[in-house]
Amino acid sequence: IEEQSATAEVFNTLDEGASRTEAWVAKNQKYIFIIVGLAAIIVLGYLGYNKFIQEPKESVAMNDMFQAQKYFDEAIAAGTEQDSLFNLALNGGEGKFGMLDIISEYKSTKAGNLASYYAGMSYLKLKDYQNAVEHLSNFKSDDEVLAPIAQGGIGDAFIQLGQKEEALDYYAKAASMSTNGFTTPMYLFKAGNIALHLGDNTKALQYFKRIKDEFASSTEAANIDAFIGKAEAASN
């Protein structure tokens, strides 16, 4: 009898709770429908924006960037007249957009982000180091090669601006962003040399030894023992 009474009490409590919930829902039904409707509008609006606005805009932006990217590639490959080609990459030519136009017109697109990389590297080659830092800083990527090169490019610009401590920070960041046989030893080597120049011999030794231990087949490892010896001598 006691068990039956306790069970009945539990069910009565549940019934009372359900009744209160039903009453609250009935009382606030209008607001619940409004909230659900707004959530549906937001989700559908987001999907529609991506499908009918953002995706076509991405496609147009990439097409508009084609000629500027071609100028940039030609500048990298060219032995002469690089400056004129880098300027064309930045400002456009033949009635086509340059990287600066892409950044301005398509800022929220992947093409606009990539244009910041090309613009920054172009300015770096043109020895306009402040603009190089600005545009490379605006470039966001998790690509294991482009992302370190952008950070390393900022380091190169700071070297030319005489800001070696800042350069060291960016070289170290570039080396740590991904592990591969191209960018990692390259920026470890640059970081090691700047650390050595700044008198941070312990840090320089760490960078050089990592090249020797992990990237023995890299170009930077060819004479790394000499740099390790220099860092060890400077530490004593």
Side-chain angles (χ1 to χ4, degrees), residues 42-76:
I42 290 169
V43 170
L44 291 173
Y46 174 77
L47 294 174
Y49 175 82
N50 279 339
K51 181 67 177 177
F52 299 108
I53 297 176
Q54 189 64 21
E55 287 182 12
K57 191 175 183 181
E58 293 280 0
S59 179
V60 171
M62 290 303 294
N63 286 334
D64 283 348
M65 193 172 72
F66 175 79
Q67 184 61 51
Q69 189 171 354
K70 187 169 180 287
Y71 285 135
F72 181 88
D73 292 340
E74 289 174 358
I76 294 295

Side-chain angles (χ1 to χ4, degrees), residues 26 110 135 214:
K110 294 176 183 177
H135 286 283
E214 298 180 32

Side-chain angles (χ1 to χ4, degrees), residues 78-99:
T80 58
E81 299 183 358
Q82 281 189 320
D83 286 3
S84 61
L85 287 168
F86 280 124
N87 276 308
L88 285 170
L90 283 168
N91 301 302
E94 300 178 18
K96 303 295 185 180
F97 278 0
M99 295 301 176

